Amino acid sequence: MKGGGVRFESQRFRLLTIVVGCFLISITFLLSSRPEAAAFDTLSPKAWLEEARTPAPKKPAAIKTVVAAKSSSSSPAASLGRDFLVDITPQQQGDQSGASHGDGHGSSTGGEKTTESTEWVKDTVIIQEVRGSSGGERAEPQEKRDRNAAAGAQDEAAAEEAVVRDDAVRSTTTTQTDVQPAGQEEVTPVGGRRMKLQGAAAEAVMTTEEQQTPASSETTARAADHHELQQQPLPTLCDFSDQRSDVCDFTGDIRMDANTSSFVLVVGQGTSPQSHKVRPYPRKGDETCMGRVTEINVRTTTTASSPPPLCTQTHDAPAVTFSIGGYTGNIFHDFSDVIVPLFNTVHKYAGDVQLVMANVAPWWLIKYDKLLRSISRYAPLDLAAAGTRGEVHCFRHAVVSLRAHRELIIEKDRSLDGLATPDFTRFLCSALSLPRDAPTNIADGSGRKPRLLIISRHRTRILLNLAAVVLAAEEAGFEAVVNESDVANDISEVGRLINSADVLVGVHGAGLTNMMFLPPGATMVQVVPWGGLQWIARMDYGDPAEAMGLRYVQYEITVDESSLKEKYPRDHEIFTNPTGLHKKGFGFMRQTLMDGQNITVDVARFKGVLQEALGNYLAQS
């Protein structure tokens, strides 16, 4: 009996072993035929596919193209012989974050964190079929992929085609660090990792945005356009081609560090750096003048290479920066170097502009306060004072220096806004509320005489026989008035006085700048000193007068009308070849030919000029 019992137990053990073996073989067979069950045994294919499309926070997916080999393999993917898009979740930093990417997809081990992407890739990839460029077809729209994914719950075989194991992936993919085979090319990243393998065969590669939004093609296009814009080279911030001034004009994240007189443009990584130095005053090449002008540094920076200064004040209006150093203080330079080009530069902003001034002189701001208020609705910003306070002003658009054309002239074909000189004189009359926009009409029966105003100089180029000139003007039929213009005079008062005249007479010099207050159609007479100065007289005042719509008369004195005849013998070069002395430079010309002589007008000859001026006036009445 005992031996029979042993044999019975042995048979039962063998039977149990056979049953267990069959069970293990069945499980092995099931696992081999259901590849998704190993990694996702708690989720159905449909649930996994739906969650796979839901991105983990701040973890963009990486995209690779897999080329399925054309073979007799039983693998559905391998038998297609086409390109595929493979969604590979990016590398996780599970040790540094509170939750891993795998948490959103569930795990057979409960709350255990998923390993890094190298292990995640071993378990799962999503294959999206695309035809090569020769087939003329692109990747399926997101909506269609969603429908196919949903159908996976009803059609298990279709779901199995969408999931492959690592043994198939490892044989057909490369990582970013792998050496790429010949004929393959890398796609520039947009967002997460993106790589194109077999670029000649696959046209479309899924991006992170394609997994996240239904309008995947539009999102991808916008991302590509944004990337393309970011990659475009930054235009040169400054234009150094103009003869009178260097001008910088740029837009973006601009920080004006007043303490260092710098404008810093914050740019993206990979942008070529720029750094320029500009003196914002339109006397380029004049070392004496420009030496009195603060140098502005215009440069780019990135947040990584050099942290930009932090804003203390942000402006919605653009900034226009210029200097009132140089030769300002002389009314000609006040207008030709600053006010006229400033109007030309800022007119398009219609007052919504922040003026930033270097080399500020308080008296200058007081004198031209009305004009500055008409140009900008904001108080001017003193660059040096802002620097002392440690301020950083931020703008979206900035212009450094002014767009200047010729002396006192705005050339319409060069102006960005199509402005011309008459636009400036109209602005001037409006800002100062000057009453007249036309000369006196003597035909109206009022009996008024046309008014002739003489600008009298009291330091150099003095009109020695002023009284005789006044008498000659009155005899010709004018009401003659004399005015000594001074730098300290209020600009509104000077403007009203000049605006009341019909004819302005003066010796070549800054006082003739006041002609801009004359009503259109009035006459300006310039008396040119001896010394071959006709060209500079025409450039400084003759051409501008005509550009303003004035009648212009130029009276050139003879040797006998110049006080130089008392300083030099008649055979001196200053009389025989005065233009030859110009080669000694403007300093010599100014000292000898301008400030070095006074004038005694030949009244008999000057009467002809008065008659011409009156004739011009009568012709307009």
Side-chain angles (χ1 to χ4, degrees):
M1 288 296 293
K2 186 175 182 179
V6 173
R7 286 193 298 273
F8 177 75
E9 290 295 333
S10 177
Q11 291 175 358
R12 285 201 305 173
F13 179 78
R14 285 196 296 271
L15 179 62
L16 178 61
T17 301
I18 292 172
V19 171
V20 172
C22 291
F23 176 78
L24 292 176
I25 293 172
S26 299
I27 292 298
T28 302
F29 177 79
L30 289 175
L31 290 178
S32 300
S33 62
R34 295 281 309 273
E36 78 283 4
F40 302 99
D41 55 337
T42 61
L43 294 177
S44 68
K46 176 182 179 181
W48 176 76
L49 289 171
E50 290 176 346
E51 291 196 26
R53 290 194 298 270
T54 304
K58 303 180 181 178
K59 302 295 182 181
I63 308 303
K64 301 184 185 298
T65 302
V66 179
V67 181
K70 295 182 180 180
S71 67
S72 58
S73 171
S74 60
S75 169
S79 64
L80 295 174
R82 300 170 183 166
D83 290 353
F84 292 89
L85 300 178
V86 184
D87 175 18
I88 305 176
T89 56
Q91 183 173 353
Q92 305 300 312
Q93 301 295 331
D95 295 339
Q96 301 176 9
S97 61
S100 69
H101 185 72
D103 292 341
H105 296 291
S107 172
S108 59
T109 58
E112 183 180 350
K113 295 181 181 179
T114 310
T115 57
E116 292 185 346
S117 66
T118 53
E119 305 211 1
W120 181 269
V121 171
K122 291 179 182 178
D123 291 329
T124 141
V125 289
I126 301 176
I127 301 296
Q128 170 68 41
E129 177 187 352
V130 294
R131 295 186 182 273
S133 57
S134 61
E137 297 181 13
R138 300 191 62 82
E140 293 180 344
Q142 179 69 37
E143 294 84 350
K144 187 172 181 180
R145 291 198 300 275
D146 290 343
R147 291 195 299 268
N148 290 341
Q154 302 173 2
D155 188 351
E156 184 176 331
E160 292 178 356
E161 290 185 9
V163 182
V164 297
R165 292 190 59 81
D166 179 61
D167 53 357
V169 176
R170 285 197 298 260
S171 65
T172 55
T173 61
T174 61
T175 64
Q176 267 189 316
T177 57
D178 290 338
V179 178
Q180 297 192 28
Q184 298 178 357
E185 56 179 326
E186 181 176 334
V187 173
T188 305
V190 180
R193 295 187 305 163
R194 185 181 181 189
M195 181 180 295
K196 182 176 181 181
L197 307 180
Q198 304 294 342
E203 284 186 291
V205 178
M206 289 173 62
T207 63
T208 304
E209 292 81 358
E210 285 178 323
Q211 297 178 25
Q212 295 174 348
T213 63
S216 58
S217 59
E218 295 181 6
T219 305
T220 304
R222 285 195 299 269
D225 291 343
H226 176 68
H227 172 68
E228 183 178 353
L229 289 174
Q230 286 184 328
Q231 295 300 314
Q232 290 179 352
L234 184 70
T236 302
L237 302 181
C238 304
D239 180 5
F240 298 95
S241 64
D242 190 78
Q243 294 183 351
R244 288 201 64 183
S245 61
D246 299 327
V247 180
C248 303
D249 191 334
F250 46 102
T251 301
D253 181 358
I254 301 168
R255 319 287 179 92
M256 187 194 81
D257 186 351
N259 187 51
T260 60
S261 300
S262 299
F263 280 83
V264 181
L265 176 63
V266 183
V267 297
Q269 298 293 334
T271 304
S272 298
Q274 294 190 40
S275 180
H276 310 285
K277 295 186 182 298
V278 175
R279 295 186 186 273
Y281 192 88
R283 288 287 164 187
K284 185 177 176 179
D286 187 332
E287 295 181 0
T288 300
C289 173
M290 300 303 275
R292 305 169 183 170
V293 177
T294 296
E295 187 175 69
I296 306 294
N297 184 26
V298 177
R299 63 182 178 86
T300 61
T301 189
T302 64
T303 54
S305 63
S306 176
L310 299 179
C311 303
T312 62
Q313 185 173 345
T314 300
H315 302 261
D316 293 329
V320 172
T321 303
F322 58 98
S323 170
I324 52 176
Y327 292 141
T328 55
N330 173 295
I331 189 174
F332 172 77
H333 290 285
D334 289 347
F335 279 90
S336 189
D337 296 353
V338 179
I339 298 175
V340 172
L342 177 61
F343 171 79
N344 181 40
T345 304
V346 308
H347 176 266
K348 63 182 178 181
Y349 302 121
D352 189 28
V353 59
Q354 176 63 62
L355 304 182
V356 180
M357 298 182 179
N359 314 111
V360 171
W363 68 264
W364 197 94
L365 298 179
I366 294 172
K367 180 172 183 177
Y368 296 109
D369 178 68
K370 287 188 177 180
L371 300 184
L372 296 175
R373 288 177 181 271
S374 298
I375 286 174
S376 170
R377 64 176 62 105
Y378 308 107
L381 181 61
D382 184 335
L383 183 63
T388 301
R389 296 189 295 266
E391 296 175 356
V392 175
H393 293 258
C394 295
F395 305 89
R396 296 300 302 170
H397 183 202
V399 179
V400 178
S401 199
L402 303 176
R403 294 184 172 91
H405 298 163
R406 292 190 288 156
E407 307 290 10
L408 300 174
I409 291 177
I410 300 175
E411 297 178 331
K412 186 173 183 178
D413 59 344
R414 294 179 61 192
S415 173
L416 297 182
D417 304 317
L419 299 174
T421 310
D423 294 304
F424 173 74
T425 54
R426 283 192 290 270
F427 154 77
L428 201 60
C429 291
S430 174
L432 301 178
S433 301
L434 302 183
R436 300 206 311 159
D437 59 2
T440 301
N441 183 6
I442 62 175
D444 61 1
S446 63
R448 289 178 299 176
K449 294 182 179 181
R451 196 175 200 195
L452 182 144
L453 178 63
I454 301 175
I455 299 294
S456 175
R457 298 178 61 89
H458 55 275
R459 288 191 297 270
T460 62
R461 280 161 276 166
I462 300 172
L463 195 57
L464 297 176
N465 60 338
L466 177 59
V469 173
V470 170
L471 180 60
E474 292 176 340
E475 291 176 349
F478 289 101
E479 174 194 353
V481 180
V482 178
N483 174 259
E484 289 189 3
S485 179
D486 188 83
V487 68
N489 291 354
D490 180 78
I491 194 68
S492 297
E493 294 179 3
V494 173
R496 284 192 291 271
L497 175 64
I498 303 298
N499 184 254
S500 70
D502 301 299
V503 179
L504 183 67
V505 178
V507 179
H508 173 80
L512 292 181
T513 308
N514 290 303
M515 66 183 174
M516 67 183 66
F517 303 120
L518 288 171
T523 300
M524 204 272 281
V525 178
Q526 177 175 201
V527 178
V528 183
W530 174 262
L533 301 177
Q534 294 88 342
W535 65 273
I536 195 171
R538 165 59 77 168
M539 178 182 68
D540 287 351
Y541 303 106
D543 291 342
E546 293 176 345
M548 294 173 191
L550 304 176
R551 300 295 183 98
Y552 176 67
V553 179
Q554 186 162 299
Y555 179 80
E556 301 170 6
I557 71 170
T558 64
V559 173
D560 292 333
E561 295 172 280
S562 172
S563 63
L564 291 174
K565 67 181 185 294
E566 301 169 3
K567 297 181 179 181
Y568 301 94
R570 287 300 183 97
D571 60 350
H572 193 278
E573 186 179 8
I574 203 169
F575 300 120
T576 60
N577 184 28
T579 56
L581 298 175
H582 294 184
K583 63 186 177 183
K584 294 186 177 183
F586 183 77
F588 175 84
M589 292 171 58
R590 181 182 181 88
Q591 180 180 4
T592 306
L593 300 176
M594 296 182 184
D595 297 344
Q597 67 174 310
N598 295 317
I599 297 167
T600 302
V601 168
D602 183 341
V603 175
R605 194 163 75 94
F606 193 70
K607 284 183 179 180
V609 173
L610 295 174
Q611 291 298 326
E612 182 180 353
L614 185 62
N616 289 338
Y617 177 70
L618 293 173
Q620 298 176 61
S621 300

